[in-house]
Amino acid sequence: MKNKNIIITGASKGLGHDLAISLSKENNKLFLISRDIKKLNQLKNKCTFKSKHKVYSANLLFPEETLNISKEIKFFFKNKIDAIIHCAGGGLGLKQNNLNNFDLLKLLNLNILSSIELNRLLLPSMLKRKSGKIIHIGSIASNEAVGSLGYNVAKASLNAYVKTLGRDLARKNIVITGIAPGGFITRDNAMDRLRIKNNKAYKNFIKERLPRKKMGLTSEIIPLIKFLCSDNSGMMCGCLVPIDGGESISYNF
C-alpha cells in the first residue's frame, strides 16, 4: 500500500483517523472526509507528508452532498482513484425499537446510502482504468443483532450491497469488500465513549463478550484493510470479513 490515491470517509476519529495516519506513512495521497473540519485539520497535521493530503468537510447524513465531494476528489486525484475506504457510520444514539421513518433514514444515509452514492459517482473512473478497490467498514451487528434495531438493519443492508456489487464487478477488476469488526477501542470511538461514560459496562463487555478477555485495537484491524486495498486481494471480491476476536457466535451451514 504505497504511492496510492486513497479516499477515507469518517476520517476525523476512530478507525478512520488511525487508518489515515498509518496510510500516510507509506507515501499514499489521501482525501479525508468528515463533518468536523477542525478535527480533520488536526488529523492532517499528524499525517506524514501532510502536504500531499486534502481534507473535506461534509455531512454524510445528506447523500446529495456526495456530488460535490466526488467533483473535488476527481480534481484532486486527476481521476486516478486506487481505493475508497468507507469508515463513516454509527448508531447516532438512536436505540429505540420503534424508529420512525425519518430516524431510520438518517441511519441508512450515514451507514450505507451515502457510500453507495459516492461509489456510483466514482466507479466510472475506476472502470475506465480497469482497477480499483472499495472497502466498507461494517459490523458483526449485521449477523449478530447485537446493536440497536436501526444500526443492525443498516449494517445488514451493507452486507447485501457488498456481496451483490462485488460479484457484479469482479470480472472488471474492481474489488468490492468489507470487514465486520467486533468490539475495538481507539480514541473517541463507541467503545472509548462507553469506557468513559460507564466503565463498569465496558469491563463487563470484555468479560462476557470477548473470549480473549481484552479489547481489540485498530492496530490489529488496519493490516486487514491494507490487504483488501492491495493488488493481492482479487479473490476477496464480494466478501465481508469478520474480525472480532471470536466475539461473534453466528455461523452458516
Side-chain angles (χ1 to χ4, degrees):
M1 282 304 299
K2 295 181 180 180
N3 305 308
K4 302 291 187 181
N5 294 337
I6 303 171
I7 302 151
I8 304 176
T9 71
S12 68
K13 61 183 181 180
L15 178 60
H17 171 280
D18 295 358
L19 180 62
I21 291 174
S22 180
L23 288 172
S24 74
K25 294 175 182 177
E26 297 169 340
N27 205 36
N28 295 297
K29 189 175 183 181
L30 306 178
F31 191 101
L32 306 171
I33 305 167
S34 172
R35 285 179 293 176
D36 194 325
I37 189 62
K38 182 179 179 180
K39 287 185 178 179
L40 280 174
N41 283 322
Q42 290 172 347
L43 168 61
K44 184 178 178 181
N45 286 329
K46 296 176 188 176
C47 287
T48 309
F49 309 114
K50 62 183 180 180
S51 62
K52 296 183 63 173
H53 313 315
K54 182 177 178 63
V55 298
Y56 190 91
S57 176
N59 190 345
L60 295 178
L61 287 175
F62 306 102
E64 57 269 22
E65 291 199 20
T66 57
L67 179 59
N68 288 331
I69 298 171
S70 68
K71 289 178 180 178
E72 291 288 336
I73 289 170
K74 290 174 184 177
F75 178 78
F76 183 64
F77 289 139
K78 297 180 174 57
N79 277 329
K80 184 180 181 298
I81 301 164
D82 294 302
I84 309 170
I85 307 172
H86 293 286
C87 295
L92 299 175
L94 299 170
K95 297 181 180 180
Q96 61 269 39
N97 288 329
N98 59 339
L99 278 176
N100 60 45
N101 179 67
F102 178 74
D103 285 338
L104 180 58
L105 184 58
K106 285 200 296 186
L107 286 167
L108 290 169
N109 282 341
L110 177 62
N111 287 282
I112 182 170
L113 297 183
S114 290
S115 300
I116 289 176
E117 183 63 7
L118 189 59
N119 290 348
R120 184 185 71 82
L121 293 166
L122 297 178
L123 268 169
S125 298
M126 290 183 166
L127 289 167
K128 186 175 182 180
R129 295 178 57 236
K130 298 180 181 179
S131 177
K133 309 292 189 300
I134 300 177
I135 298 91
H136 290 267
I137 309 304
S139 168
I140 62 167
S142 58
N143 293 323
E144 298 289 307
V146 291
S148 63
L149 175 71
Y151 184 76
N152 291 346
V153 168
K155 293 305 186 183
S157 300
L158 183 59
N159 283 12
Y161 174 77
V162 168
K163 173 63 72 176
T164 305
L165 189 63
R167 285 174 57 86
D168 288 346
L169 295 181
R171 66 186 183 279
K172 298 182 180 179
N173 202 36
I174 308 297
V175 182
I176 314 293
T177 62
I179 68 168
F184 69 93
I185 191 167
T186 188
R187 185 176 179 181
D188 203 24
N189 80 333
M191 280 298 165
D192 191 39
R193 294 191 295 271
L194 177 63
R195 180 185 61 84
I196 295 169
K197 183 178 179 180
N198 189 341
N199 191 251
K200 183 178 179 180
Y202 173 77
K203 290 181 177 178
N204 189 63
F205 182 95
I206 295 174
K207 179 181 177 181
E208 300 295 331
R209 292 277 298 276
L210 303 182
R212 61 180 186 159
K213 307 306 177 188
K214 67 177 183 178
M215 188 64 69
L217 303 173
T218 55
S219 59
E220 299 175 284
I221 298 172
I222 289 171
L224 174 59
I225 298 173
K226 289 183 178 180
F227 164 68
L228 294 176
C229 287
S230 75
D231 295 335
N232 297 318
S233 65
M235 284 191 68
M236 301 303 296
C237 53
C239 294
L240 195 109
V241 186
I243 180 165
D244 56 30
E247 179 186 345
S248 60
I249 57 175
S250 63
Y251 55 88
N252 297 317
F253 288 102

